[in-house]
């Protein structure tokens, strides 16, 4: 291992997937970002379905250089049994923004947050996400997060972690907590 | 869900464990930290076995307010088949620092990074880690990371995620990469 970051043109960027029902998918992506920024990587995060929810991470990320954050989706949560046209529009905007960021040459790391869910629920086509992965420039690292990652996405990825909930307090009626869960 | 952080005296801090063989344990803890800082939580991170390795995250964390980072362990990696006295001393210093931080009233979130491994390899006693958890003040959130979390730690924890490596490129000879893996 060397401590010298590779020039971005030489770097072999991978496709990573964080999926599963456990805590730690978006959270792990945030951790990768924190680490990447320490090596002066340029990072773009695209939120696919989170509206303008005031996540704690947005405040911290705003304090750091070299991070671009783009949030798509309505403020309310998507109902998978009743997806609205607006949800699809927003997810499509997110996908377009992701493509643009990935191909811009401006970023070393692009995070597609909750894209797995957006795809599983039909907000964007699985084929469109696959196409995005196939078009990834060699030196860009791409991270896809969210439950329900399709097996085709897992096949295409270089690194896949499934976060398995062994114990989760939300199951026992403890609500999501500011500062820790969002 | 409310967007207002609870006063630290009212907060019910949990014990979280990130374990398993997959990528994303320390990384998820870093993500929780990033989120917590956005809500002005005060954070202390204790590295149990990582020596003075120049992790990218250390550089980023140094840019942020309200984070204390304490790194223990020799610079070289611990050999589980040949644990040296110095490894044990360092891990014990880490445990003492963890206890002090946890009881100081200065921190809302204390992360014990790689403590699960330190315990599994006998650098610190499992009973000592259990005692630490049992002595946790109500309002402090405690996160334990690392492979090989003992089932007793899992029993004591409120939230446990197992990071399962579905695919991992290190298995295929790709080395750990600066900015992404450390």
């Amino acid at each position: 291992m060397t401590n010298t970051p590779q020039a971005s043109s030489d770097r072999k960027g991978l496709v990573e997937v964080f999926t599963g029902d456990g805590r730690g998918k978006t959270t792990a992506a945030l951790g990768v970002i924190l680490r990447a920024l320490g090596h002066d990587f340029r990072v773009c995060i695209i939120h696919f379905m989170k509206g303008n929810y005031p996540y704690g991470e947005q405040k911290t990320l705003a304090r750091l250089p070299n991070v671009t954050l783009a949030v798509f989706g309505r403020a309310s949560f998507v109902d998978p049994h009743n997806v609205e046209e607006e949800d699809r529009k927003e997810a499509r905007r997110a996908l377009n923004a992701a493509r643009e960021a990935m191909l811009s040459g401006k970023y070393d790391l692009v995070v597609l947050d909750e894209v797995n869910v957006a795809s599983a629920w039909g907000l964007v086509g699985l084929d469109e996400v696959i196409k995005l992965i196939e078009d990834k420039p060699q030196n860009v690292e791409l991270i896809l997060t969210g439950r329900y990652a399709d097996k085709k996405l897992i096949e295409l990825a270089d690194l896949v972690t499934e976060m398995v909930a062994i114990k989760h307090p939300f199951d026992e009626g403890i609500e999501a907590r500011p500062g820790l869960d969002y």
Side-chain angles (χ1 to χ4, degrees), chain A:
Chain A
M1 271 196 271
T2 166
N3 298 330
T4 313
Q6 296 165 271
S8 77
S9 56
D10 298 337
R11 196 185 306 122
K12 167 80 172 72
L14 304 182
V15 177
E16 300 189 38
V17 170
F18 293 125
T19 192
D21 63 353
R23 169 164 164 85
K25 299 178 290 290
T26 292
T27 321
L30 287 173
V32 176
I33 289 165
L34 195 148
R35 197 171 272 160
L37 293 174
H39 288 279
D40 300 321
F41 280 36
R42 301 156 304 162
V43 178
C44 183
I45 311 155
I46 316 270
H47 282 300
F48 270 69
M49 349 180 359
K50 290 197 174 170
N52 49 11
Y53 203 72
Y55 287 92
E57 62 245 43
Q58 296 194 17
K59 197 168 157 197
T60 308
L61 291 170
R63 289 175 176 155
L64 295 167
N66 299 328
V67 183
T68 302
L69 178 65
V71 179
F72 297 91
R74 294 184 300 135
S76 58
F77 286 103
V78 174
D79 174 1
H81 304 296
N82 188 20
V83 172
E84 298 190 20
E85 188 48 36
E86 188 65 19
D87 298 325
R88 289 202 185 82
K89 268 190 198 158
E90 282 290 305
R92 178 163 307 276
R93 285 180 61 214
L95 204 65
N96 289 339
R99 172 170 293 275
E100 199 178 311
M102 194 182 76
L103 299 177
S104 68
K106 289 184 193 162
Y107 301 106
D108 305 294
L109 169 61
V110 177
V111 176
L112 312 183
D113 193 44
E114 301 293 1
V115 70
N116 299 337
V117 183
S119 165
W121 290 355
L123 274 63
V124 292
L126 176 62
D127 55 334
E128 294 171 291
V129 180
I130 290 171
K131 183 80 168 62
L132 192 75
I133 293 174
E134 288 172 347
D135 294 346
K136 183 186 83 62
Q138 196 241 224
N139 59 338
V140 173
E141 184 93 4
L142 193 63
I143 298 182
L144 291 76
T145 83
R147 290 182 184 213
Y148 316 126
D150 192 275
K151 64 181 179 192
K152 285 185 190 159
L153 298 179
I154 288 171
E155 274 170 31
L156 277 172
D158 302 292
L159 187 158
V160 179
T161 306
E162 182 183 357
M163 277 68 175
V164 178
I166 304 293
K167 251 191 196 179
H168 203 301
F170 298 172
D171 298 340
E172 292 160 27
I174 294 181
E175 289 188 1
R177 299 158 306 149
L180 298 160
D181 302 306
Y182 61 92

